[in-house]
Amino acid sequence: MKQAFKSKVPFILIAVVLLWVKTYIVYKTSFNITIESLKQEFILFINPLSFILLIAGLALFFKEKGMKRYLIITSFIVSFVLYANAVYYRFFNDFITIPLLFQSGNMSDLGGSITELMTPMDLLMFTDVVILIALAKWTPQFVSMSTWRPKVRKMYFLSIVGIFLFNLGLAETERPQLLTRTFDREILVKNLGTYNYHVYDAVLQSKTRAQRAMADGSELAEVQNYINANYKAPNDDLYGVAEGKNIIVVKMESLQSFVIDNEINGEPITPFLNELKDQSYYFNNFYHQTGQGKTSDSEFLLDNSLYPVGRGAVFFTHGTNDFHTATPNAIKEKGYTPVVFHANNKSFWNRDVMYDSLGYDKFFDIASYDVNEENSVGWGLKDQEFFQQSVPYMQELQQPFYAKFITLTNHFPFVLDEEDRFVDEFDSNSRTLNRYFPTVRYMDESLKTFFDELKAAGLYENSVIIMYGDHYGISENHNEAMSQYLDKEVTPFENAQLQRVPMIVHIPGVTDKNPKEFDTVGGQIDLKPTIKHLIGMETKNDIQFGEDLFSEERNDFVVFRDGSFVTDEVVYTKNACFDKETEEEVEQEACEPYMEKAKKELQYSDKIVYGDLLRFYDGTSIQVDESKLSE
Ligand code: GP9
Ligand code: MN
């Protein structure tokens, strides 16, 4: 028996190897996965293994006949999932995600063309199943159908754990916080494999669904009371000033306020923005409020005036929530066409799914741009090119539009081609900070180009341009170099102040004549009510945590996603309270009055997002499920 086992190949291993090799071949032939190094190729190669071993391993609990049947059926199902992904990819250029699959529209889009997407050659994808059937039927000499002893079985399952952890470990070195941040489906598939990705996706979805199922409209009542009590009437002078005009929102990548009006080796870092802000409304105490979802969180704040979630990226975790109150959805009522311009993969940050929920009519993603080696750097298409290629699309749009632009070049690790370098690098022990200045300077130049192009295209006069930085570019890890640049110590107080990002509202014909600098304390959460008021839309009944930045009744208050907050007098961060004037730590008492408010806002916002509560809200009243109330 022992002898026979040695010379024969177990049926289960044949099934595993066939499926494994096939998956890798399908990866290489059906999907367009970018591989940048040998290590990435290796991860891609091993990533299907843990799942296949596990699912096939269940066969070990059957007797011979059951085992054969189980392995054949399982191989078929797994192959089918792989095949479905391949077909889906041909159409959507994306991997299947459970909510996406059930989302209305998607399936019907696919439905009509599904037969066109399939070819007879696809049958080859099931070759291994046919081989397994043949082997099971004729059982050649070299194949063993016998079951394994418990000890061997145990080793088998233990080795799966080992392989999975090895895979995950390697993947984490490639992409830290891979699972918690969930950047991109392609990155997940590339690192964890298509099957593990589906399991992960299913777990995420069932968690979200369970929380959603348990929630009901009555939970909104308390939140709404709080929001009503905090409503601030808009500034009369500016209410409706942008009505009927195009709204152009430019999200400036990784741009922090400390570079504004500042220099590097005697040269201005943002000459264009410095000039522009002097012809605009400029907010110098405006903070980002993003969490792990970075850019996407800033977009979430912008369009919803809700806080992003504390863990992961809300674009991923709650991408299919009801966001009918989001700005893009809401302003259609005023005749606006909401669109997004961003030259990246549409699945990055799950944007394709989320943009649908937010109500964007069109996403000009990477497929809309001509991207080649010459015009790209770092993360992709250079900002200059991005703007230049976008303007012709804008000219085609139905006006007025609400167009969001997401820049890319000023992104970590801040790489730039020699010809795009207008200022020198800084000289410190942080290469990141050193390189930050030339890329910021480059982005500034591209914004200038954008304005020039808007003018040339005749779009400028009839538009209001709102620009904001999405989040920090230089993290706390570079505090030493940062203090060298700022010529002062980066204390927790200073670090909180470094979370300021520029925010500019430029209204041609208005702000150029009467520019104003505001020192109002505010943040990205305030953008939605501010924008809606500018175009003459009431927000009195909106579920929102922001306040109009121009309101004369405004509270000077901003909460960060980690619970830190800033007012006109204090900064509360890392469990310490600081006086803004002296910059010194003071008794907690000074921060006490706002602590509860900060916590409450985050909790209420989370409640809305986790419970998908906006589905119960019709814009004026909450739809309460009476049956649940009586329980
Ligand atoms: C990617 C871009 C950058 O599309 O928005 O995202 P980030 O890493 O800054 O969140
Ligand atoms: Mn960003």
Side-chain angles (χ1 to χ4, degrees):
M1 182 65 207
K2 216 174 178 190
Q3 196 54 38
F5 180 79
K6 264 193 180 162
S7 53
K8 287 185 172 195
V9 188
F11 187 56
I12 176 172
L13 289 191
I14 296 177
V16 167
V17 170
L18 285 176
L19 206 49
W20 178 18
V21 171
K22 179 179 68 187
T23 308
Y24 182 68
I25 295 173
V26 173
Y27 278 172
K28 298 305 286 180
T29 51
S30 296
F31 305 131
N32 196 357
I33 302 175
T34 355
I35 295 292
E36 283 148 2
S37 66
L38 209 62
K39 183 166 147 208
Q40 288 186 3
E41 189 72 63
F42 179 67
I43 296 175
L44 187 73
F45 177 65
I46 62 157
N47 74 32
L49 191 54
S50 59
F51 177 85
I52 295 174
L53 280 170
L54 182 70
I55 193 103
L58 300 181
L60 298 171
F61 296 97
F62 292 99
K63 297 244 160 54
E64 186 182 322
K65 205 166 153 209
M67 175 190 74
K68 284 190 207 166
R69 200 173 290 164
Y70 173 84
L71 282 173
I72 290 168
I73 294 173
T74 310
S75 272
F76 177 76
I77 296 173
V78 174
S79 304
F80 185 78
V81 169
L82 188 66
Y83 177 58
N85 266 295
V87 174
Y88 190 86
Y89 198 92
R90 282 175 206 164
F91 191 73
F92 291 110
N93 208 4
D94 197 354
F95 299 94
I96 294 177
T97 171
I98 297 162
L100 203 78
L101 204 58
F102 295 112
Q103 204 162 297
S104 60
N106 264 345
M107 256 341 206
S108 45
D109 274 3
L110 191 57
S113 47
I114 198 149
T115 42
E116 274 166 47
L117 293 170
M118 301 198 284
T119 71
M121 286 291 277
D122 291 350
L123 285 173
L124 284 176
M125 283 212 198
F126 294 89
T127 319
D128 56 328
V129 183
V130 178
I131 297 176
L132 287 186
I133 295 172
L135 290 180
K137 191 151 193 252
W138 291 295
T139 319
Q141 276 293 309
F142 68 92
V143 179
S144 153
M145 294 291 177
S146 49
T147 49
W148 294 354
R149 280 175 291 129
K151 213 170 149 188
V152 185
R153 227 189 287 169
K154 201 166 152 193
M155 270 171 52
Y156 176 91
F157 283 105
L158 276 177
S159 63
I160 299 178
V161 178
I163 291 171
F164 178 72
L165 290 179
F166 174 64
N167 182 172
L168 189 64
L170 265 186
E172 280 276 330
T173 60
E174 274 292 313
R175 264 287 164 182
Q177 299 178 302
L178 181 73
L179 293 181
T180 46
R181 286 197 59 194
T182 327
F183 304 84
D184 185 4
R185 270 185 284 287
E186 184 183 315
I187 293 173
L188 279 174
V189 171
K190 185 164 133 180
N191 286 291
L192 293 182
T194 168
Y195 310 121
N196 289 334
Y197 155 71
H198 285 305
V199 174
Y200 174 78
D201 185 45
V203 170
L204 206 70
Q205 286 314 316
S206 46
K207 222 171 100 187
T208 320
R209 263 161 207 267
Q211 275 165 330
R212 187 180 185 274
M214 283 185 311
D216 75 90
S218 60
E219 293 177 42
L220 257 184
E222 190 189 343
V223 184
Q224 209 190 11
N225 282 342
Y226 173 83
I227 289 169
N228 286 348
N230 285 284
Y231 170 76
K232 298 289 177 290
N235 180 312
D236 275 346
D237 295 343
L238 291 172
Y239 189 81
V241 60
E243 191 159 359
K245 294 192 173 180
N246 301 315
I247 301 287
I248 299 174
V249 181
V250 185
K251 190 239 66 167
M252 300 175 287
E253 181 59 47
S254 305
L255 189 67
Q256 292 176 241
S257 296
F258 76 90
V259 292
I260 301 292
D261 281 335
N262 220 334
E263 293 184 343
I264 180 84
N265 295 336
E267 300 280 337
I269 308 157
T270 55
F272 175 70
L273 288 176
N274 297 349
E275 203 179 291
L276 182 74
K277 80 173 186 4
D278 290 340
Q279 296 162 20
S280 309
Y281 295 141
Y282 173 60
F283 290 84
N284 59 21
N285 262 321
F286 184 86
Y287 294 77
H288 84 82
Q289 296 165 289
T290 61
Q292 292 181 323
K294 306 293 284 294
T295 301
S296 66
D297 281 358
S298 86
E299 295 180 60
F300 185 77
L301 281 146
L302 161 77
D303 284 335
N304 294 300
S305 192
L306 293 171
Y307 293 93
V309 292
R311 210 179 136 77
V314 62
F315 262 42
F316 257 103
T317 56
H318 296 85
T320 51
N321 269 16
D322 181 333
F323 291 114
H324 71 275
T325 55
T327 309
N329 272 322
I331 59 171
K332 283 183 190 162
E333 183 191 304
K334 279 264 180 189
Y336 277 83
T337 313
V339 294
V340 185
F341 293 88
H342 181 45
N344 197 3
N345 213 335
K346 65 179 178 182
S347 70
F348 202 97
W349 285 133
N350 202 26
R351 282 187 172 110
D352 46 357
V353 177
M354 188 53 148
Y355 285 171
D356 242 24
S357 309
L358 294 173
Y360 284 103
D361 282 352
K362 167 103 182 125
F363 176 16
F364 295 89
D365 65 2
I366 194 161
S368 301
Y369 295 87
D370 171 25
V371 185
N372 53 51
E373 202 138 300
E374 243 122 77
N375 66 15
S376 336
V377 71
W379 276 56
L381 188 64
K382 294 181 185 181
D383 289 346
Q384 289 267 14
E385 280 278 339
F386 163 60
F387 285 125
Q388 278 163 348
Q389 292 189 34
S390 300
V391 174
Y393 287 125
M394 295 174 88
Q395 286 175 292
E396 301 293 308
L397 289 176
Q398 162 102 24
Q399 295 195 34
F401 50 73
Y402 171 80
K404 175 161 74 179
F405 286 79
I406 300 171
T407 70
L408 203 52
T409 310
N410 187 43
H411 192 290
F412 177 83
F414 310 113
V415 285
L416 212 55
D417 288 333
E418 212 41 61
E419 76 251 27
D420 299 320
R421 213 173 276 272
F422 306 111
V423 291
D424 296 337
E425 289 191 1
F426 183 54
D427 182 18
S428 74
N429 64 2
S430 158
R431 289 188 64 201
T432 302
L433 180 64
N434 297 350
R435 286 193 295 231
Y436 183 64
F437 299 99
T439 50
V440 171
R441 175 65 184 84
Y442 170 80
M443 176 167 64
D444 182 80
E445 193 67 23
S446 74
L447 292 167
K448 181 169 182 275
T449 306
F450 185 41
F451 271 69
D452 290 344
E453 300 261 326
L454 286 177
K455 285 176 186 165
L459 288 166
Y460 171 78
E461 293 295 333
N462 196 34
S463 301
V464 168
I465 302 138
I466 297 160
M467 307 163 84
Y468 74 93
D470 62 348
H471 48 76
Y472 64 78
I474 308 300
S475 74
E476 282 180 74
N477 300 338
H478 307 275
N479 275 356
E480 200 186 312
M482 189 60 123
S483 63
Q484 186 186 328
Y485 175 75
L486 297 174
D487 201 16
K488 64 163 149 178
E489 196 194 338
V490 181
T491 59
F493 169 83
E494 190 56 40
N495 189 60
Q497 292 297 70
L498 278 169
Q499 306 314 309
R500 280 178 293 190
V501 293
M503 151 57 177
I504 295 172
V505 176
H506 185 75
I507 313 176
V510 176
T511 57
D512 34 7
K513 295 196 183 104
N514 272 314
K516 193 170 171 195
E517 182 156 343
F518 293 79
D519 55 10
T520 319
V521 176
Q524 291 158 338
I525 201 132
D526 301 315
L527 289 166
K528 182 185 174 196
T530 309
I531 294 174
K532 281 184 80 177
H533 288 165
L534 287 174
I535 56 177
M537 290 184 87
E538 252 309 331
T539 70
K540 201 168 174 44
N541 293 313
D542 281 8
I543 300 284
Q544 64 192 6
F545 291 93
E547 296 169 6
D548 183 348
L549 284 164
F550 296 109
S551 170
E552 274 149 6
E553 308 169 2
R554 236 193 99 80
N555 278 323
D556 266 343
F557 178 67
V558 66
V559 189
F560 298 1
R561 182 57 248 195
D562 69 358
S564 302
F565 59 82
V566 180
T567 73
D568 48 346
E569 288 168 354
V570 293
V571 167
Y572 181 79
T573 185
K574 306 215 160 82
N575 294 321
C577 186
F578 296 87
D579 182 285
K580 262 179 139 178
E581 217 173 291
T582 60
E583 302 190 4
E584 296 292 330
E585 190 175 342
V586 290
E587 293 292 321
Q588 295 263 335
E589 260 180 316
C591 288
E592 204 89 41
Y594 308 98
M595 277 169 157
E596 198 47 38
K597 183 172 161 68
K599 229 182 270 158
K600 209 179 239 176
E601 290 221 345
L602 293 172
Q603 273 167 5
Y604 281 160
S605 178
D606 284 351
K607 212 171 182 178
I608 293 172
V609 173
Y610 284 110
D612 190 6
L613 296 186
L614 293 174
R615 72 196 142 120
F616 300 113
Y617 191 65
D618 70 0
T620 47
S621 59
I622 301 160
Q623 312 300 299
V624 180
D625 181 348
E626 300 287 343
S627 63
K628 287 208 175 174
L629 272 184
S630 53
E631 273 166 24

